[in-house]
Amino acid sequence: MEPTNSFVDEALLKRVPRWSKYLEAKLGFRNHWYPVLLSRDIAEAQVVPATVCGEEILLKRIDGTVRAIRDRCLHRGVKFSEKVECYTENTITCWYHGFTYKWESGKLCDILAAPDSKAIGRRGVKSYPVQEAKGLVFVFVGDDDVEVPPLSQDVPPTFLDEDLSVHAAIYDVESNWRVGAENGFDGLHVYIHRSSELVPNTQRSLPIGHLSDSAKVEIFEEEGAPKGVYDLFANHVSVWEGKVEGKTVITGTKRVSDKPTRTTAASIWLPCVLRVDNFPDQEITQFEWYVPVSADKHLYVMTVGKRVSSEKERADFEHEFWSRWKPVGFENFNAQDIGARVALQKYYKNDNSWLDEMLIEGDAPIIKWRELCHKHARGVQKPEHM
Amino acid sequence: MEPTNSFVDEALLKRVPRWSKYLEAKLGFRNHWYPVLLSRDIAEAQVVPATVCGEEILLKRIDGTVRAIRDRCLHRGVKFSEKVECYTENTITCWYHGFTYKWESGKLCDILAAPDSKAIGRRGVKSYPVQEAKGLVFVFVGDDDVEVPPLSQDVPPTFLDEDLSVHAAIYDVESNWRVGAENGFDGLHVYIHRSSELVPNTQRSLPIGHLSDSAKVEIFEEEGAPKGVYDLFANHVSVWEGKVEGKTVITGTKRVSDKPTRTTAASIWLPCVLRVDNFPDQEITQFEWYVPVSADKHLYVMTVGKRVSSEKERADFEHEFWSRWKPVGFENFNAQDIGARVALQKYYKNDNSWLDEMLIEGDAPIIKWRELCHKHARGVQKPEHM
Amino acid sequence: MEPTNSFVDEALLKRVPRWSKYLEAKLGFRNHWYPVLLSRDIAEAQVVPATVCGEEILLKRIDGTVRAIRDRCLHRGVKFSEKVECYTENTITCWYHGFTYKWESGKLCDILAAPDSKAIGRRGVKSYPVQEAKGLVFVFVGDDDVEVPPLSQDVPPTFLDEDLSVHAAIYDVESNWRVGAENGFDGLHVYIHRSSELVPNTQRSLPIGHLSDSAKVEIFEEEGAPKGVYDLFANHVSVWEGKVEGKTVITGTKRVSDKPTRTTAASIWLPCVLRVDNFPDQEITQFEWYVPVSADKHLYVMTVGKRVSSEKERADFEHEFWSRWKPVGFENFNAQDIGARVALQKYYKNDNSWLDEMLIEGDAPIIKWRELCHKHARGVQKPEHM
């Protein structure tokens, strides 16, 4: 048994009083909505497993609506997904002794091998609130006695806008989710993207660094609205030349154009989602989630959204997604981020490292993000929830 | 170093005072006999390693008699089995410095590279009592100062009967031994066997569940005799139809015949052995051991026994073993059990799970088994014994 | 977080007061020189990673001189070696945000993505003293405030002699370094070499064991000089016949010759280096290091040295190295040692084993080595140094 108090060492937590909950949140934050699946990847009647914040869940689409329950039989703890048995549309039966649960409520409604048990009708597995939006299946990972907030409080502003057409893809990444979030929000890390195919592809500018003015970073913490840290690049000092001992050794890409060629802002929102404005191209917004799976894995849920006002615009953007933004954005530009996160994980897997790192001035927005999480997250996921 | 008291958390043990020793017995029980090998797999002069209750041992057949010693040189702890050197029939020499031990006693009789050492004749490796019966090699894993009980106290009644012809096979299973034992003794788990080839092969009946009457389960705890829990199926309520919300969704196999077509009882005995009466067919008894190897492995020693009164009956049963009971019983029906145990292990590997499970009425015999072990096991194997 | 005090259990350390620092030194001793690389394996401008005493370092040869720094960026802990960027000869730039350090001092001299940071010029990564000798690159692993002793204090006497021509090769071994050192210095373990190709190849004698006279083992502990334990084989009793119960079962190789045919001494020196005199042949000395990498890995740095007084002698020895001493010595005779260490590691990886072993009279020099380390090592490497 892993005792609860050794999840993260108390002595370390005490050293970061302003963001100790963030340091503790190896498995993410509890009582939040997380995207776990693409809507297109769960057809009617299909049963699909997922792991979020360390909890193994099972999803099924029934009459169009996705339901989610804990993927673990109450009786002896085996996973339903080892061998799925669904004898009726609305139930799932454990392959081991025939314990049968309702998808909607999780309630134990029958035990095939023991039809007279008193447990029937009285017990149930955890069921999870599910909501679909913009082609993603969101699951609320939380306590049973908590009032479920609307999804709109857990996604960045504009994501749910009706005229926003969204396309998405999901990747597994071998790093903690916080390493993903911090790499994404980090204004300096553009350094690694200077050679990305995306730069010539979009004919846009890309500096080798840009430094936040920490006084101008905006905190969104209004009651009942998404909580986030917003960093407008207009407030930044961009760096176009990289110098070693006074000599320029690398340069960014600076285009002269009569139209705007720059990404304009990055913002990061609870529970784990980044918004990048005017990226990968003008008038497109990238929203990306770093969904906690385990202490050393996250689901990288990437989406791009564009406002469309006609079917043709919608179809054009769809075509563009498959031909440009997925291969050149997600799978070239963002693959560089994945590489960085895997490298970071070797260091940050050790809890001590969070206190040993040497952040600099340009990292101020990251500290604001940690503090925002500490202050506004609805709970810390812990081993006892698993 | 793993401190002794963290083997299983004390706080958990206190929560199950009636079976705490069972919860602690990840590595099995000490001072008991375990089958570790088939007699046919250790020929005259052959040296064979085995691991039981976490102890690495080495066996050799000498003049027909199997001897067993600890597979670890006293001097610097290397395993003899890394490179076996037996210069005389009755000794084994460590490949590293020539420390030589007698197979019968474990006594250090020579050191080839240091013939004058005072350790010679004074020290020795642990030797284990060995007994062969019914084609199995049994080893007694216990303390040196304990009186070794007869093998007959550690096998189910009838197993050693003279007229019982026994055939066996051994499989490695990736689960704790207790998970094996409980799956085997569980009356409800017949649910997973409804599609087994064995059912048509034997033309027998197989319900989808049968529920023990817990008041009628018999406890065998007579001094000097095997200790076990005996569950007669005549006391059971059989379930033939599996229903979900009132509708039959699966059925068992119920044959109408003038001869008996049912397994009649299951019983489980210390240290880790199940007896199933009239299984896999009428007049055959299956005996099977779940021998602890490590916390997440056991040796699945399966045997079937039949009373024979002539050489022809003996030969017929031998032929039947190879053509039916091994492929259709062990490797089809019981392979389903192996699958279940591997699935269970993912849950029960966590010590907490033993307190988190939700047993039902039909699991009452399993609790009786846990309590029997707690009361009658001769000792708990712990890391310090390894 | 691994708390510091659980590195090795205090209760175990207290049981060996005369060599507790040795028991603690899983990762080796701090403030010593270690060979980590062959000079020929790091060409001008080449960047090469190495791990020593658990510390990941990076080396580069600049204008002929090898420099070494910690392979971990101060900022967010990633390894430079994930993707080496050297824009100038004297600096290395982190691939993640362009943090740039001087190879010579480790000082942070530029940040490409954040050129105005106050950290520039004020902070630095650890740099390591480096020295090359006899074809090996030595690194000093130590505290910043310690005066670096001359290399000559950390190698066996004669190794640095001008007329000594040295050839070397390096192998990775999956065992703790102490297991390597003790196997090497152990006079009894010659037992495993009786069948080595080296014996017929050199026409030399090799007993099956030789027993140290512990009273005659010499301790070298003069201030300012190498610290070691010297065991002269002339003081030994050699064993030529291995007997089991009085009967000779194996024999050593004893040649009658008018020239000397025996190895004459073994000695072991801080921090982890063995010298074997007149081995693998007359007038050759073998020096070998067991350089700590991690708790279960070491670098086996093997060298042979011979005094030469002309270019022809030098060239002859070079030819002999490649054709005889590397294949027949290192890769046949010493490969038997590697096998023994891997077998030992299975036992000694458990800290308890160091107290459970059963050393005999002939192992007395090993105890003297442990005590020497305890008394004279300049520090114990611990997890907090990594």
Side-chain angles (χ1 to χ4, degrees), chain C residues 49-75:
Chain C
T51 303
V52 52
C53 302
E55 298 188 26
E56 290 170 327
I57 65 176
L58 200 60
L59 301 103
K60 184 182 181 187
R61 187 184 294 280
I62 301 169
D63 283 338
T65 302
V66 178
R67 303 295 182 181
I69 58 172
R70 192 74 188 254
D71 185 14
R72 188 162 77 196
C73 185
L74 286 179
H75 181 217

Side-chain angles (χ1 to χ4, degrees), chain A residues 86-93 100-103 109, chain B residues 244-245:
Chain A
C86 282
Y87 292 111
T88 73
E89 187 179 39
N90 297 305
T91 61
I92 185 162
T93 297
T100 301
Y101 302 87
K102 299 213 177 202
W103 276 102
C109 60
Chain B
V244 172
E245 297 182 303

Side-chain angles (χ1 to χ4, degrees), chain A residues 120-161:
Chain A
I120 296 169
R122 296 192 186 176
R123 302 293 299 268
V125 291
K126 181 171 177 58
S127 72
Y128 296 79
V130 179
Q131 195 167 331
E132 286 184 271
K134 301 293 180 188
L136 298 177
V137 179
F138 288 85
V139 168
F140 184 78
V141 177
D143 302 319
D144 292 331
D145 57 356
V146 155
E147 200 185 339
V148 179
L151 174 60
S152 60
Q153 290 188 16
D154 278 0
V155 299
T158 75
F159 179 70
L160 296 175
D161 287 0

Side-chain angles (χ1 to χ4, degrees), chain A residues 1 74-78 82 85 87-88 93-98 102 110 112-115 117-118 123, chain B residues 9 182-183 186 188 191-192 194 208 239 243-245 250 344 346-348 352 358 361 363 366 370:
Chain A
M1 193 192 64
L74 287 178
H75 181 216
R76 308 220 59 170
V78 297
E82 297 271 350
E85 294 188 7
Y87 292 111
T88 73
T93 297
C94 179
W95 54 269
Y96 195 15
H97 301 92
K102 299 213 177 202
D110 286 290
L112 274 63
S117 172
K118 287 179 183 157
R123 302 293 299 268
Chain B
D9 190 89
E182 297 194 357
N183 171 73
D186 166 7
L188 304 176
Y191 182 82
I192 65 169
R194 64 193 185 278
I208 62 155
V239 180
K243 294 182 183 181
V244 172
E245 297 182 303
I250 60 162
L344 282 162
K346 293 176 193 168
Y347 180 67
Y348 283 101
N352 289 331
M358 187 195 82
E361 303 84 346
D363 294 315
I366 288 171
R370 294 178 185 178

Side-chain angles (χ1 to χ4, degrees), chain B residues 85-297:
Chain B
E85 295 187 8
C86 282
Y87 293 111
T88 72
E89 185 179 41
N90 297 305
T91 61
I92 184 162
T93 297
C94 180
W95 54 269
Y96 195 15
H97 301 93
F99 280 59
T100 301
Y101 302 88
K102 298 212 176 204
W103 276 102
E104 192 174 336
S105 60
K107 187 169 272 195
L108 177 66
C109 60
D110 286 290
I111 302 176
L112 274 62
D116 297 328
S117 173
K118 287 180 184 158
I120 296 169
R122 296 192 184 176
R123 302 291 301 268
V125 292
K126 182 172 175 58
S127 71
Y128 296 78
V130 179
Q131 194 167 332
E132 285 184 271
K134 300 293 179 187
L136 298 178
V137 178
F138 288 86
V139 167
F140 184 77
V141 178
D143 302 318
D144 292 331
D145 57 355
V146 154
E147 200 186 340
V148 180
L151 174 61
S152 59
Q153 291 188 16
D154 277 0
V155 299
T158 75
F159 178 71
L160 296 176
D161 287 359
E162 276 217 6
D163 62 348
L164 200 77
S165 178
V166 172
H167 293 284
I170 297 185
Y171 303 81
D172 290 313
V173 180
E174 304 280 322
S175 92
N176 189 265
W177 73 275
R178 294 167 301 179
V179 156
E182 297 194 357
N183 171 73
F185 189 47
D186 166 7
L188 304 176
H189 92 283
V190 67
Y191 182 82
I192 65 169
H193 293 303
R194 64 193 185 278
S195 62
S196 170
E197 232 179 280
L198 186 69
V199 183
N201 181 290
T202 55
Q203 294 288 310
R204 307 185 88 219
S205 295
L206 194 76
I208 62 155
H210 42 93
L211 302 163
S212 173
D213 178 340
S214 111
K216 292 186 180 157
V217 169
E218 254 183 292
I219 307 299
F220 284 73
E221 49 188 343
E222 192 194 330
E223 179 69 27
K227 307 291 184 292
V229 182
Y230 184 87
D231 191 11
L232 187 68
F233 290 2
N235 298 327
H236 283 201
V237 176
S238 291
V239 180
W240 297 99
E241 300 195 333
K243 294 182 183 181
V244 172
E245 297 182 303
K247 198 185 105 190
T248 296
V249 295
I250 60 162
T251 53
T253 301
K254 196 174 188 173
R255 302 204 187 266
V256 181
S257 169
D258 44 4
K259 54 167 196 158
T261 68
R262 286 287 306 282
T263 299
T264 50
S267 54
I268 190 158
W269 306 85
L270 270 170
C272 59
V273 47
L274 185 78
R275 189 181 95 182
V276 189
D277 299 349
N278 291 300
F279 178 86
D281 207 350
Q282 215 54 28
E283 292 177 10
I284 302 180
T285 305
Q286 183 150 327
F287 302 86
E288 56 180 48
W289 280 257
Y290 318 97
V291 180
V293 173
S294 66
D296 49 15
K297 251 180 224 182

Side-chain angles (χ1 to χ4, degrees), chain C residues 1 34 36 42 46 49 60 65-66 72 118 125 133 165 171-172 196 201 217 271 313 329 359 374:
Chain C
M1 192 192 66
Y34 293 95
V36 299
I42 183 164
Q46 193 178 353
K60 184 182 181 187
T65 302
V66 178
R72 188 162 77 196
K118 287 180 184 156
V125 292
S165 178
Y171 303 82
D172 291 312
S196 170
N201 181 290
V217 169
E313 279 181 25
L359 299 189
H374 179 80

